């Protein structure tokens, strides 16, 4: 199959113009700190732009998945860099002990929820994130992934059921 030179770049540009904050939202959903989400998204786009011509079939669904993989890898790379060189930020204000305890409990619950989401099979996790974080309809998700809307709804139900099982098994701090 011979493909038109630059077709991938045009599709990438169209995708980004259609939803410019998509990769930022995906980064946040993967647990990237708010302050770093834009950097992760920009780096992912730069990597995609540089290597778009290596994508065999630049269809919207494949490009979407490919771009999400690049963003996920960039988020992982950021976490690794942070582990190697942890940063310490000093805060002039001292938090109330009660606020700190509430914040810690909430962080434990959120960490458990993120871990539960990360443990889902990729097919379930991706459809759930596209639905909840990206706010896409089942039709839009189906178009991107090459699935019927019913198959998308089924994946979302299975993902939510798996998360509910995690919650019952002790995901919360209690």
């Amino acid at each position: 199959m011979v493909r038109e030179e630059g077709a991938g770049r045009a599709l990438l540009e169209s995708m980004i113009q259609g939803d410019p904050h998509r990769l930022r939202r995906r980064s946040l959903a993967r647990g990237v700190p708010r302050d770093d989400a834009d950097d992760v998204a920009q780096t992912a786009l730069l990597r995609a732009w540089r290597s778009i011509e290596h994508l065999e079939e630049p269809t919207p669904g494949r490009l979407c998945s490919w771009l999400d993989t690049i963003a996920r890898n960039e988020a992982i790379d950021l976490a690794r860099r942070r582990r190697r060189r942890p940063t310490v930020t000093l805060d002039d204000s001292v938090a109330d002990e009660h606020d700190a305890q509430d914040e810690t409990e909430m962080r434990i619950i959120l960490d458990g929820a993120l871990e539960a989401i990360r443990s889902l099979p990729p097919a379930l996790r991706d459809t759930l994130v596209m639905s909840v974080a990206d706010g896409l309809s089942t039709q839009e998700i189906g178009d991107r992934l090459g699935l019927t809307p019913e198959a998308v709804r089924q994946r979302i139900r299975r993902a939510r059921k798996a998360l509910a099982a995690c919650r019952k098994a002790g995901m919360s701090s209690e």
Side-chain angles (χ1 to χ4, degrees), residues 66-160:
W66 181 69
L67 197 54
D68 287 347
T69 300
I70 293 172
R72 183 191 73 223
N73 290 340
E74 181 56 32
I76 291 168
D77 290 346
L78 174 68
R80 286 179 181 153
R81 285 191 304 269
R82 289 280 166 90
R83 252 185 262 131
R84 278 182 263 163
R85 293 188 201 119
T87 58
V88 177
T89 56
L90 300 177
D91 190 6
D92 293 337
S93 65
V94 177
D96 181 15
E97 185 177 316
H98 183 67
D99 290 343
Q101 183 179 3
D102 289 346
E103 195 172 314
T104 301
E105 288 175 9
M106 183 55 72
R107 189 70 223 174
I108 290 169
I109 292 169
L110 289 175
D111 286 345
L114 284 173
E115 189 57 38
I117 291 169
R118 286 185 191 119
S119 71
L120 290 171
L124 299 180
R125 180 182 57 235
D126 291 345
T127 53
L128 182 67
V129 170
M130 284 182 191
S131 172
V132 176
D134 294 343
L136 299 178
S137 69
T138 54
Q139 183 66 47
E140 292 170 317
I141 296 169
D143 291 346
R144 289 186 180 186
L145 299 178
L147 299 168
T148 65
E150 181 53 38
V152 171
R153 284 190 289 277
Q154 182 180 17
R155 285 185 180 185
I156 292 170
R157 278 192 302 269
R158 287 174 36 204
R160 288 182 174 158

Side-chain angles (χ1 to χ4, degrees), residues 18-31:
D19 190 2
H21 301 291
R22 181 176 182 278
L23 287 178
R24 182 178 195 282
R25 289 192 314 269
R26 297 298 292 238
S27 298
L28 290 169
R30 293 202 188 303

